[in-house]
Amino acid sequence: RFGDLDIPCGPGDTSSYPEKSDQGVTRDKIVVTTIADPGGPRPGLNQGMFDSAQAFVDWCNGLGGINGRQIELKLRDAKILEYKERVLEACDDSFALVGGLGVFDEVGAQDQVDCGLVNVAGAAVSGQQAEADLTWQPLPNPQGAFPVGGARWIAENYPEAITRAANIRSKVPVTEVQAMRQTAAYE
């Protein structure tokens, strides 16, 4: 079970399904894409997104797929700077984006919407992706709010530390925006 939902995976008789019912969906399979950045200048960045997606697909397919359709996973490496290109590839052959995390996800957010590709992101980094139509986030990153539970815990348990806090970031637009949001929320 997933919380109070039944497991979505299991066998099924696919013989009555149409040969192709939607982009990335055939009688026997559902094609999904996970985009992350493990091949960029920082090797292994977000590799866990690929590993988690592969583990879920292996588990679900081991139970029979989704209503008998096997999940085919495409792991697409954005290498930090190629997120848009990976989204455009997925627009050509995938039913959905699932479990991804791209450092520069803002550059493909509108392309994903334009081609009608649902994105169930592992996490959205940018405001453009977080607020994009068709993006669903298990770990929300709304632009009008910032989670402060960690800061409150530190303030309660280590009150002397809050006067010595700092925010260190790279000079990249998305990290600068996130740092400003974090600083404002923590203050």
Side-chain angles (χ1 to χ4, degrees):
R1 295 189 63 81
F2 290 92
D4 60 354
L5 299 176
D6 290 332
I7 293 173
C9 307
D13 179 7
T14 63
S15 62
S16 64
Y17 296 168
E19 184 57 40
K20 181 176 173 144
S21 57
D22 203 337
Q23 177 170 301
V25 179
T26 67
R27 178 176 293 141
D28 300 318
K29 72 179 177 180
I30 301 170
V31 179
V32 297
T33 287
T34 299
I35 302 174
D37 299 310
R42 177 80 173 141
L45 182 64
N46 300 326
Q47 177 65 43
M49 306 315 279
F50 280 0
D51 297 345
S52 297
Q54 189 64 62
F56 175 81
V57 166
D58 292 346
W59 172 79
C60 188
N61 283 343
L63 293 173
I66 296 178
N67 290 329
R69 288 180 168 124
Q70 293 290 292
I71 303 170
E72 179 182 319
L73 177 63
K74 296 195 179 258
L75 300 174
R76 292 191 155 114
D77 188 352
K79 302 175 188 171
I80 297 181
L81 299 175
E82 298 175 15
Y83 190 85
K84 178 184 179 95
E85 290 83 350
R86 301 302 81 85
V87 168
L88 294 173
E89 291 169 1
C91 283
D92 287 339
D93 64 12
S94 295
F95 177 68
L97 299 173
V98 295
L101 171 62
V103 171
F104 294 122
D105 61 5
E106 73 273 12
V107 299
Q110 190 58 51
D111 296 294
Q112 162 226 313
V113 171
D114 291 346
C115 77
L117 199 58
V118 170
N119 184 3
V120 183
V125 176
S126 69
Q128 294 92 328
Q129 187 60 264
E131 303 292 332
D133 288 341
L134 305 177
T135 293
W136 301 92
Q137 301 175 76
L139 179 63
N141 184 18
Q143 295 307 289
F146 197 89
V148 295
R152 286 186 176 148
W153 183 87
I154 291 169
E156 289 172 15
N157 292 282
Y158 302 96
E160 70 286 352
I162 62 172
T163 61
R164 296 188 308 263
N167 192 322
I168 300 170
R169 63 191 180 277
S170 60
K171 193 153 182 68
V172 176
V174 71
T175 59
E176 289 179 335
V177 168
Q178 293 293 1
M180 287 187 298
R181 290 178 61 221
Q182 182 181 35
T183 300
Y186 282 14
E187 287 174 348

